[in-house]
Amino acid sequence: MKKSLGLLGLSLLFCQCGAEPRTLLSNVPVETTFRPLQQCEIVQDIAPYIDTIEIVQLEATPESMLGEVNKLLLRPDGAFVLLTHSGIMIFDAQGKFQARAGRIGHGPGEYIKLNDICLTTNGQYILALSAFNQILQYRADNGAYVKTIVPSPKLEYSCDGIAPGPEDGFYLYAGNPANADDFETPFDCLLRYDSEGERVSQGLPRKDFGLQVAAITQSAGNSYILRPQEGDDIAYKTDAEGQFAPWARIDFGDKAIPSGYVKNLGGSVWTHLQDFLRADYYKMPLYLEQTAYAFYFTAAGPEAQTHEFLCFTGTEKGIRWTKTAVSATPFIIRGADDEWFYGLYDDPKSYNAGELTTLPPLKRYLIERIGLKLAEDGNPPIVKIRFKTEK
């Protein structure tokens, strides 16, 4: 699965905008390689690797009831910004509800559906990507509406992810064109815009059918990680100025799904979705999160089984475990700062002793050792986890 750094020529793509070109991606080599199947030990009991767990109960008011949560962001002061099915909710670091940012509707600062959110590089504003590719900006402290940015030129497809860019600009990511079956027409997945919404560069050519799940995640220090595209193994990460650069290679070796797997099957990509997910390979690294000491992500293995990986930074060690209970609501890590990983426990089910044995080690630990459960009339709690790098 090794690739020549020559393939990173995409990092030198330019777009003429005004008098000078601007780069899409920083021209730096990939210096970090994670080999999760080699370096991560399979564990059934995660207790020896747990250092500390803290629970933050999110305040439940008529205005702040969450429902399904699609994304978790951390403000620089530790407050939480959550993208839910009903809008954007802001809670302080202790879980007290602070504000909503916008709401469903057709007026200024309102939206019908949001695909993704991020914070600006200084952490002071929320950028919300609507299903119609408009960017709504809100204050991150009180949710006040600031303005709407309409990217130019107009896109003929809906974007999946957003990240802050240099000079108060932003990036948009789309895994596929409007016609996902069209592999003949070149398609750039990553677009960079200035603060006014003018496109200044584009690149990262599509290699295969892109599944539109957790494309961009926030990590420690309000950096953002763009997960590897289908057909590639390189993850990209924003630097201090907000520019994406090649960051790490996730190398599954000969167990990695071949590049162009869906494209090479021919016909409609949608008819091959289950074939792709159930293929006897590892694919789709998702929910990439990094602290100062570890890197977490999930991936789909053979038969679409979910695997979770925790790779310890600066070592060739780590742990991994598998989700085996098909019907159980997964507990997935969704955020990180330098010290903590963050997840949201939103499973309403109560498990008996027999059912607990089928749960993944981390979720089982939260139920058995911490006594975690979802209150019937409350919001799901946020779980803060600090791991040990050795038993």
Side-chain angles (χ1 to χ4, degrees):
M1 187 107 182
K2 292 294 182 184
K3 295 179 174 62
S4 166
L5 290 180
L7 290 180
L8 291 178
L10 55 90
S11 64
L12 298 176
L13 290 175
F14 293 92
C15 173
Q16 295 293 334
C17 301
E20 65 181 42
R22 305 188 196 182
T23 57
L24 176 73
L25 299 164
S26 294
N27 182 26
V28 297
V30 181
E31 296 183 349
T32 301
T33 297
F34 295 103
R35 297 178 176 85
L37 297 182
Q38 297 179 28
Q39 72 183 79
C40 293
E41 173 190 358
I42 298 174
V43 296
Q44 303 298 332
D45 179 11
I46 206 168
Y49 293 95
I50 299 293
D51 181 274
T52 309
I53 287 183
E54 294 182 3
I55 306 299
V56 180
Q57 186 60 57
L58 299 178
E59 182 182 16
T61 70
E63 183 76 358
S64 69
M65 295 301 291
L66 292 180
E68 182 180 356
V69 176
N70 298 318
K71 193 159 190 173
L72 183 156
L73 300 178
L74 292 166
R75 281 192 335 213
D77 64 353
F80 304 102
V81 180
L82 304 179
L83 175 60
T84 78
H85 77 290
S86 59
I88 303 169
M89 308 285 192
I90 304 171
F91 297 82
D92 70 16
Q94 289 71 47
K96 184 175 177 57
F97 178 62
Q98 292 189 318
R100 293 178 65 107
R103 61 184 62 247
I104 294 175
H106 296 277
E110 297 178 339
Y111 40 78
I112 300 302
K113 182 180 181 297
L114 296 177
N115 286 355
D116 197 17
I117 59 173
C118 69
L119 299 182
T120 53
T121 52
N122 60 16
Q124 295 181 6
Y125 297 96
I126 302 166
L127 299 179
L129 168 64
S130 80
F132 302 103
N133 292 326
Q134 292 184 331
I135 313 303
L136 294 91
Q137 186 180 92
Y138 307 94
R139 285 180 51 172
D141 58 349
N142 62 14
Y145 170 65
V146 178
K147 63 180 179 179
T148 295
I149 304 170
V150 180
S152 177
K154 181 180 179 180
L155 298 173
E156 300 302 322
Y157 50 86
S158 181
C159 291
D160 314 316
I162 186 170
E167 302 171 350
D168 297 322
F170 57 91
Y171 291 92
L172 295 180
Y173 176 85
N176 302 291
N179 177 11
D181 297 335
D182 181 9
F183 290 101
E184 297 298 322
T185 305
F187 180 77
D188 290 327
C189 296
L190 190 63
L191 311 172
R192 180 183 159 192
Y193 294 85
D194 65 17
S195 60
E196 300 302 315
E198 291 295 323
R199 191 187 309 169
V200 297
S201 57
Q202 65 186 68
L204 207 62
R206 181 173 79 140
K207 294 179 172 62
D208 202 350
F209 173 59
L211 284 159
Q212 300 155 327
V213 182
I216 298 174
T217 49
Q218 184 200 42
S219 195
N222 194 33
S223 60
Y224 289 78
I225 300 176
L226 172 61
R227 74 176 184 87
Q229 299 178 87
E230 275 64 56
D232 200 0
D233 61 1
I234 297 172
Y236 297 82
K237 188 177 180 182
T238 56
D239 59 21
E241 285 71 43
Q243 185 154 357
F244 270 118
W247 170 61
R249 191 184 305 274
I250 300 177
D251 184 3
F252 287 113
D254 58 5
K255 297 296 184 181
I257 195 159
S259 182
Y261 185 88
V262 173
K263 178 177 68 174
N264 294 336
L265 291 176
S268 172
V269 296
W270 301 105
T271 62
H272 302 308
L273 183 56
Q274 287 300 317
D275 295 330
F276 170 79
L277 292 173
R278 295 189 173 281
D280 195 25
Y281 299 101
Y282 287 82
K283 77 288 284 184
M284 286 181 63
L286 298 176
Y287 304 111
L288 281 62
E289 299 291 351
Q290 185 191 30
T291 65
Y293 61 88
F295 168 52
Y296 167 91
F297 67 97
T298 73
E303 293 300 316
Q305 194 169 51
T306 299
H307 298 257
E308 297 179 69
F309 298 90
L310 187 67
C311 302
F312 301 133
T313 304
T315 74
E316 291 294 321
K317 297 180 180 180
I319 57 175
R320 57 186 170 115
W321 59 95
T322 305
K323 175 181 177 292
T324 55
V326 177
S327 62
T329 302
F331 174 82
I332 297 172
I333 289 171
R334 306 289 290 273
D337 57 25
D338 282 337
E339 184 178 5
W340 300 93
F341 286 105
Y342 296 79
L344 202 80
Y345 189 87
D346 58 354
D347 188 353
K349 181 178 171 60
S350 295
Y351 295 92
N352 60 40
E355 292 170 329
L356 281 172
T357 63
T358 69
L359 296 180
L362 180 54
K363 183 173 180 178
R364 187 170 67 247
Y365 181 93
L366 294 175
I367 297 171
E368 288 184 330
R369 302 289 188 91
I370 308 300
L372 200 57
K373 62 180 180 180
L374 185 62
E376 292 183 4
D377 57 351
N379 275 328
I382 286 178
V383 183
K384 299 171 60 175
I385 307 171
R386 184 166 57 218
F387 289 97
K388 300 175 184 176
T389 56
E390 294 183 352
K391 291 183 182 179

